[in-house]
Amino acid sequence: MSAERHVERPTVVVTRKLPATVEEAIASRYDARFNRTDVPLTPEQMQQVLRTTDIVLCTVTDKLRAELFEGVVKTRLLANFGVGVNHIDRDAARRAGAQISNTPDVLTDDTADIALALILMTMRRLGEGERHLRSGAWSGWRPTHLMGHSPHGKTLGIIGYGRIGRALARQATLALGMHVIWYSPRDPRVDDATTAGPANAERVESVDALLARADVVSLHCPATPETRHLIDARRLAIMGSTSFLINTARGDIVDEYALTNAVRDGVIAGAGLDVYEWEPTVVAELRDMEKVVLLPHMGSGTIETRTAMGMRALANMDALVAGQPLPDLVAF
Ligand code: DGY
């Protein structure tokens, strides 16, 4: 009789549909269950998964609140597909013995690209122009038609000077000739020139000082209790009627009702958004405004980056199983 031992593979639940190559790689190494419906799990389903599964590959659409970690939790790793982990109650996960990893670096350039695109779209009124043409209203070229504002020579204020903030700083300097000022509570002190901000970017001492000087403000800070509604009615008023707000970070950094009022009343000039406070719901009035550009949370949405994010999550799963330190452990 053969003495062959059956080695059980760790169980994994992948909560949303991933690029095919990533799902294939996971299936080849794990006892994996995939979400073929691509509909977010209910809290009840998620709690059941946490009770019965070694590893959960989750996303921003999984609201992993404290109560889901009550009772027995089998999960040892929440391998998050994305950088931001504000949808996970980190204390509750830690108490339940689950580590968290994320997928930094690989999505930096694509997310910065979307911020850059939103700067151009809002300042140059590109969404409005496209809607105008598609509606059949375009009567031909004329000198004063759809005039926007030029980004060249304007000041871009970046709040949060991590990898994505610095990538946008480089791009906006080179591609749009903007002058960059930035605010971050800590100095990232980057030695590597390829990931550093432009040499002439200026650090400013406070959020308010940045808002007072910037023609365009772009948010790149994490969503934490401290940054919730960082941009509120008072701060929108500091920005002023010729300034634009760009948000590709997280929705609840901005008070969405205050933003809606500010754009409607001309307190600021306009906004370009990829993320929303109550995603996927968007304040109805915003959707009717020409002065805002609204994208459906697609910052990292290229096949190259979404594949790289999946492979990065997989590398963290493999490290856990091999008993090695997680390459992208999210510190508690
Ligand atoms: C990120 O990486 O934070 C993206 O927004 C997806 O979660």
Side-chain angles (χ1 to χ4, degrees), residues 60 81-84 107 250 297 300 309:
V60 65
F81 185 93
V83 173
L107 48 64
R250 280 293 180 266
H297 200 152
S300 60
M309 289 164 73

Side-chain angles (χ1 to χ4, degrees), residues 59-61 80-87 102-104 107 111 164 248-250 274-275 279 297-300 306 309:
T59 75
V60 65
T61 57
N80 187 57
F81 185 93
V83 173
V85 291
N86 58 309
H87 52 288
N102 66 352
T103 60
L107 48 64
T111 307
I164 299 171
T248 54
R250 280 293 180 266
D274 187 43
V275 289
E279 227 168 280
H297 200 152
M298 53 197 291
S300 60
R306 292 277 163 87
M309 289 164 73

